[in-house]
Amino acid sequence: QVRLVESGGGLVQAGGSLRLSCAASGITFSTYAVAWHRQSPGKEREWVAVISRLGSTTYADSVKGRFTISRDNAKNTVYLQMNSLKPEDTAVYYCKSSRSSDNYWGQGTQVTVSS
């Protein structure tokens, strides 16, 4: 059974930092691209960042320069380091692993940034 479990969310003041983790089981994580998405109340889920199997990264303009995605294949884990957080970063953050037609989502972790 495939499971993706996000952790590391919480409440932080504007300007602060959090590091999210996405731990996978049941799949060979290193063969998947992994992305972070987020969804705020009343808004569509939006893509935040992605890391390829080989480690190349791409970011949404809204987080570029503030967020860093990385992976540790030995630990089957992908991270999202979030710095200089803003109230508009408040959302539930989800990780998604993708390989061809195989896509798996985690259950999400809440990030709340207070002003």
Side-chain angles (χ1 to χ4, degrees):
Q1 181 181 0
V2 178
R3 288 191 69 200
L4 269 61
V5 179
E6 300 95 335
S7 61
L11 173 64
V12 65
Q13 288 189 330
S17 298
L18 285 173
R19 188 177 81 155
L20 306 183
S21 299
C22 171
S25 59
I27 56 174
T28 306
F29 211 31
S30 60
T31 66
Y32 285 75
V34 180
W36 285 95
H37 297 249
R38 66 186 182 186
Q39 187 167 20
S40 304
K43 293 187 177 181
E44 297 285 325
R45 189 172 297 190
E46 65 172 346
W47 167 78
V48 174
V50 64
I51 186 165
S52 72
R53 295 182 297 111
L54 299 180
S56 61
T57 59
T58 310
Y59 299 91
D61 287 344
S62 59
V63 307
K64 200 174 294 183
R66 300 187 298 122
F67 291 10
T68 302
I69 189 171
S70 61
R71 67 190 306 159
D72 184 339
N73 290 331
K75 295 183 178 179
N76 260 16
T77 301
V78 167
Y79 304 97
L80 186 68
Q81 178 66 44
M82 306 186 297
N83 299 328
S84 302
L85 283 161
K86 305 175 181 180
E88 52 262 44
D89 295 318
T90 295
V92 177
Y93 283 72
Y94 301 88
C95 64
K96 176 187 176 184
S97 63
S98 300
R99 185 184 73 179
S100 298
S101 59
D102 292 338
N103 294 287
Y104 302 100
W105 289 90
Q107 83 291 345
T109 185
Q110 176 71 47
V111 171
T112 304
V113 184
S114 64
S115 57

